[in-house]
Amino acid sequence: MSRIAFVNGQYCDYSDALIHVDDRGYQFADGVYEVFTIIDSCIIDFQPHLKRLFRSLSELKIVTPIKKSAYLYHIRNIIKKNMIVTGTVYLQVTRGVAKRDFKYPKDIKSSITIIGKVISEDTFYKDIYNGINVKTTKDLRWKRCDIKSLNLLPPVLAKQHAYENNSKEAWLIDDAGFITEGSSSTAWILDKNDVLRTSSLKNNILPGITRETFLKGLCKYKIKFKETSFNIKDIRSAKEAFITSATTFVTPVNMVDNIKIGNGKPGKFAPIFLDIYKKAIKSKI
Ligand code: PDD
């Protein structure tokens, strides 16, 4: 089966899905993106992802290339055309094409690309059930990480560093020694006092949609939660640790660097938190 992409108003085969060399996304990472998870051919949390996309666009003063109401239609088409049951849809909007210049013309027309990926159910849930290792590294990103921009070189290097150290995710450490978040996920610990902790939402982290949905579900339970960041010392004494993102749901962390979390296997809260998250997903459309 051939893969079909949506590029600037056209559905086309992957081999014909071409981007102009002067696209500012290509030259300046001047654009934003969203990753949607697809389960049973439905989009998880479509509305909050769309809302965040529009916030990212507005923060960078990029005009949407299509009407807000058309996003759902095109994402659904990509799901159908690529026969995605379990998988992801990646959507990117760039400022558009203009002769290379740091400043951009007023009348520039933004570009849109939507692509889909089929993932087997087993692959999707493998790390979610078994847990992952995490490697810490310096947070080298810019000061507007709340915008889901294409400016991804620091997380690329961080994730590569993690993989080269037998880890699936990198946790980024700020100048004060605190974990901001993962290279592509939100970071959590269940600390020694049974308090679930993750960083508060400031400009130095992305406001995760999975974080938001999970917290909505969590408030119905008697689990203590504090929006406060943690450092290596807290990790050393943590009972459990997790990452959350659209593509990892709530995934337990078994090791951080050479620190074993609990007994180095998913703890008792891992299936509970996964269940809380799954039940909190209301909008599967
Ligand atoms: N990443 N923090 C960062 C830096 C991220 O890149 C992501 C998502 C998250 C979690 O956000 P959400 O729960 O909305 O997926 C947190 C996606 C999956 C990616 O870049 O592939």
Side-chain angles (χ1 to χ4, degrees), residues 95-125:
R95 196 176 305 275
V97 174
K99 213 160 128 192
R100 188 179 183 278
D101 190 349
F102 280 72
K103 61 189 184 333
Y104 49 85
K106 251 197 180 134
D107 57 351
I108 191 165
K109 195 175 168 304
S110 52
S111 310
I112 181 164
T113 315
I114 312 177
I115 53 176
K117 185 162 85 181
V118 172
I119 304 174
S120 78
E121 206 179 326
D122 285 354
T123 307
F124 186 83
Y125 282 103

Side-chain angles (χ1 to χ4, degrees), residues 33-37 49 52 90 141 145 148 152 155 159 169 172 181-187 205-212 244-249 277:
Y33 75 104
E34 279 296 327
V35 179
F36 302 86
T37 283
H49 278 282
R52 186 173 66 187
Y90 173 83
R141 301 173 305 164
C145 296
K148 201 161 172 60
L152 290 175
K159 185 84 91 185
E169 179 57 305
L172 311 176
E181 60 180 334
S183 66
S184 62
S185 60
T186 306
I205 69 162
L206 183 81
I209 303 302
T210 317
R211 176 193 194 277
E212 182 186 313
T244 59
S245 78
T247 51
T248 62
F249 284 4
Y277 170 67

Side-chain angles (χ1 to χ4, degrees), residues 1 3 14 34-46 49 75 78-80 82-91 114-126 128 210 245-249 277 281 284-285:
M1 192 199 83
R3 284 178 78 188
Y14 254 56
E34 279 296 327
V35 179
F36 302 86
T37 283
I38 312 304
I39 301 284
D40 301 328
S41 301
C42 294
I43 314 162
I44 304 285
D45 281 337
F46 171 75
H49 278 282
I75 293 171
I78 284 297
I79 296 170
K80 258 188 245 148
N82 292 281
M83 295 199 269
I84 305 173
V85 179
T86 308
T88 55
V89 168
Y90 173 83
L91 185 154
I114 312 177
I115 53 176
K117 185 162 85 181
V118 172
I119 304 174
S120 78
E121 206 179 326
D122 285 354
T123 307
F124 186 83
Y125 282 103
K126 191 170 168 267
I128 296 175
T210 317
S245 78
T247 51
T248 62
F249 284 4
Y277 170 67
I281 302 170
K284 262 175 92 179
I285 55 174

